[in-house]
Amino acid sequence: MFLSKIHIIHFKNYAEAELEFDSNINCFVGNNGAGKTNLLDAIYYLSFTKSYFNNIDAQNIRHGADFFAIHGFYSQPGGAIDPVSCIQKLGHKKQFKINQKEYDRLSDHIGQFPCVMISPYDRDLINEGSDFRRKFLDSVVSQFDKTYLEQLIRYNHLLEQRNALLKQAATVSGSLTDMFSLLDEQMQPLATIISGKRQQFINDFLPIFTRFYQSISSRNEIPDIRYESHLYQNSFLELMKESFEKDLLQRYTGKGIHKDDLLFEIGGFPIKKYGSQGQQKSFVVALKLAQYEFTKLRVGFCPILLLDDIFDKLDEQRIGQLLALVSSEQFGQVFITDTHLQRISTIFESLNLQYRIFKTVSGTVTESPTTHA
């Protein structure tokens, strides 16, 4: 499966663009602000029904227009073509169709055309709080385990009820104590199951991640990902009892799986504190490539890979190793953005890769005559 053609109208800084793609590697090259990333985001829309960068759909409409449209055409094995369309009009519900049939629920489309984006925004996985890492973990697991997603939604709903109760409870009467006990008992089995599935995911994910990181870094460094949970300290019910007085004072639930974290390390040291910019970049790229491989193993075919400005802060050796990696048979269609035409062309030539290059200039895009196919 690959995206053979895209047609966008009034999307972000593009009035209109229609492009045909190579089934292997495609590059968008241009200055910062020219619209390279917007093209990747249009492709991401076709897979996830929303933007990678801005979840308010109306804000993705080109200034002065009253709608945007994204039409993609996916070539399937055997020659079949699946047209996918996303149309957002100001003041209207978003329309999302496949083969001219509109979805009743947008969530039904997720997984039909799997895609993984690697973006500079992913550095937040290292630099920001634990909620970014939990979101990454949950987003990967929930794509393939609908029960996990339902359990997580249920746990978060009960957590909201518990926190609301804590905010109301200036003093705790007998009836309120019973309500806290009931909520804790309902949350306990969910927390145990979710924590167990998260740990199992890390067990399965870590070898894949390690392989990718060492491929990018020439096997000179040993990375690690460790899952950290309050449930390793005690059972959920015991945690709730221990922290109850503090929860009352702070008016929120301070312990539980909603505080779980992933610890990222290189050579036994936290990468946030001790890793160089290049090491941190390699770590994040390896995380997302491992997500790609994990997704491929679950769906049984290659997702589309979107690489947005990933060469910044990587040396020439790591760039070459990364491009050699994503051009191998274990990957399918790849889209890349870069600001240096000569750099990307030289690397592709040295690797003897099949590719197309598109130049972006102020909201226009044209195919470069340097194309190889």
Side-chain angles (χ1 to χ4, degrees):
M1 181 275 296
F2 67 95
L3 180 64
S4 57
K5 185 170 70 172
I6 195 169
H7 182 198
I8 60 177
I9 304 170
H10 299 319
F11 181 70
K12 295 193 173 182
N13 69 328
Y14 286 93
E16 186 171 10
E18 187 169 0
L19 302 171
E20 294 187 4
F21 298 126
D22 192 273
S23 60
N24 291 327
I25 294 180
N26 302 271
C27 259
F28 303 122
V29 180
N31 294 330
N32 291 327
K36 304 184 302 296
T37 298
N38 293 343
L39 294 172
L40 294 190
D41 203 26
I43 297 170
Y44 187 88
Y45 246 109
L46 293 174
S47 288
F48 290 96
T49 77
K50 62 181 181 180
S51 168
Y52 187 80
F53 304 100
N54 187 349
N55 287 331
I56 302 176
D57 293 297
Q59 293 181 0
N60 295 312
I61 298 174
R62 186 171 184 261
H63 181 69
D66 58 2
F67 78 99
F68 77 69
I70 307 172
H71 306 288
F73 301 85
Y74 291 87
S75 295
Q76 300 288 357
I81 301 293
D82 286 328
V84 177
S85 295
C86 177
I87 300 173
Q88 176 66 65
K89 298 179 181 179
L90 284 176
H92 291 77
K93 177 184 175 183
K94 178 168 55 182
Q95 290 181 307
F96 211 92
K97 300 179 180 180
I98 182 169
N99 294 312
Q100 304 302 317
K101 182 179 180 181
E102 187 170 357
Y103 283 99
D104 294 326
R105 299 182 305 172
L106 293 178
S107 59
D108 291 338
H109 180 72
I110 308 302
Q112 295 291 321
F113 305 95
C115 172
V116 173
M117 169 84 84
I118 304 180
S119 159
Y121 287 90
D122 296 330
R123 64 181 180 271
D124 291 343
L125 289 169
I126 290 177
N127 296 326
E128 298 298 331
S130 61
D131 53 327
F132 284 84
R133 292 178 286 278
R134 280 194 308 277
K135 183 179 178 180
F136 168 76
L137 189 159
D138 291 335
S139 66
V140 179
V141 178
S142 61
Q143 286 186 70
F144 314 105
D145 189 337
K146 298 303 181 184
T147 302
Y148 176 89
L149 180 58
E150 293 168 1
Q151 291 164 336
L152 187 63
I153 292 172
R154 176 62 177 159
Y155 175 90
N156 288 332
H157 178 68
L158 293 169
L159 178 64
E160 288 178 1
Q161 290 182 308
R162 193 179 195 275
N163 287 337
L165 198 60
L166 286 168
K167 292 177 181 178
Q168 297 170 8
T171 59
V172 181
S173 63
S175 61
L176 280 178
T177 301
D178 291 342
M179 291 178 68
F180 278 113
S181 297
L182 178 60
L183 286 170
D184 293 347
E185 289 173 2
Q186 291 177 306
M187 294 170 74
Q188 188 273 332
L190 296 170
T192 302
I193 294 171
I194 291 168
S195 177
K197 288 186 175 181
R198 285 174 172 174
Q199 181 61 69
Q200 185 59 55
F201 166 73
I202 294 300
N203 293 344
D204 296 338
F205 185 80
L206 183 57
I208 301 173
F209 162 76
T210 300
R211 174 165 52 85
F212 278 115
Y213 183 88
Q214 292 180 339
S215 294
I216 297 171
S217 62
S218 299
R219 304 182 181 273
N220 294 323
E221 302 150 343
I222 301 175
D224 194 18
I225 303 174
R226 291 192 289 118
Y227 173 55
E228 186 177 64
S229 176
H230 289 140
L231 266 64
Y232 289 161
Q233 304 167 10
N234 217 329
S235 71
F236 182 83
L237 291 179
E238 288 298 322
L239 285 172
M240 295 302 99
K241 290 178 183 177
E242 291 173 0
S243 62
F244 185 63
E245 294 300 327
K246 187 175 182 180
D247 289 349
L248 280 174
L249 289 173
Q250 296 183 337
R251 304 296 178 91
Y252 70 88
T253 306
K255 290 191 175 182
I257 60 165
H258 55 286
K259 295 293 184 179
D260 287 355
D261 201 356
L262 298 177
L263 305 182
F264 297 155
E265 298 178 344
I266 291 288
F269 296 95
I271 192 169
K272 179 179 180 179
K273 185 174 182 180
Y274 295 99
S276 67
Q277 287 186 329
Q279 286 174 318
Q280 291 181 2
K281 185 89 173 191
S282 296
F283 200 101
V284 170
V285 171
L287 274 176
K288 302 306 286 285
L289 291 179
Q291 177 190 352
Y292 177 97
E293 180 70 12
F294 191 85
T295 301
K296 183 177 75 170
L297 291 172
R298 294 305 185 275
V299 301
F301 58 91
C302 291
I304 291 173
L305 181 62
L306 309 177
L307 305 178
D308 183 28
D309 193 25
I310 62 167
F311 301 140
D312 182 39
K313 298 184 178 66
L314 289 181
D315 56 39
E316 291 293 332
Q317 181 183 10
R318 293 191 190 217
I319 291 173
Q321 290 167 336
L322 178 58
L323 285 179
L325 183 65
V326 300
S327 64
S328 65
E329 291 184 355
Q330 62 183 306
F331 287 86
Q333 190 177 31
V334 181
F335 292 86
I336 301 171
T337 67
D338 195 16
T339 54
H340 297 88
L341 175 60
Q342 187 59 47
R343 173 172 64 184
I344 205 76
S345 298
T346 300
I347 293 175
F348 285 152
E349 292 289 348
S350 67
L351 295 173
N352 194 27
L353 297 178
Q354 179 178 323
Y355 67 95
R356 284 183 177 177
I357 290 181
F358 302 87
K359 292 182 179 179
T360 59
V361 180
S362 301
T364 63
V365 55
T366 55
E367 189 168 349
S368 168
T370 59
T371 293
H372 285 233

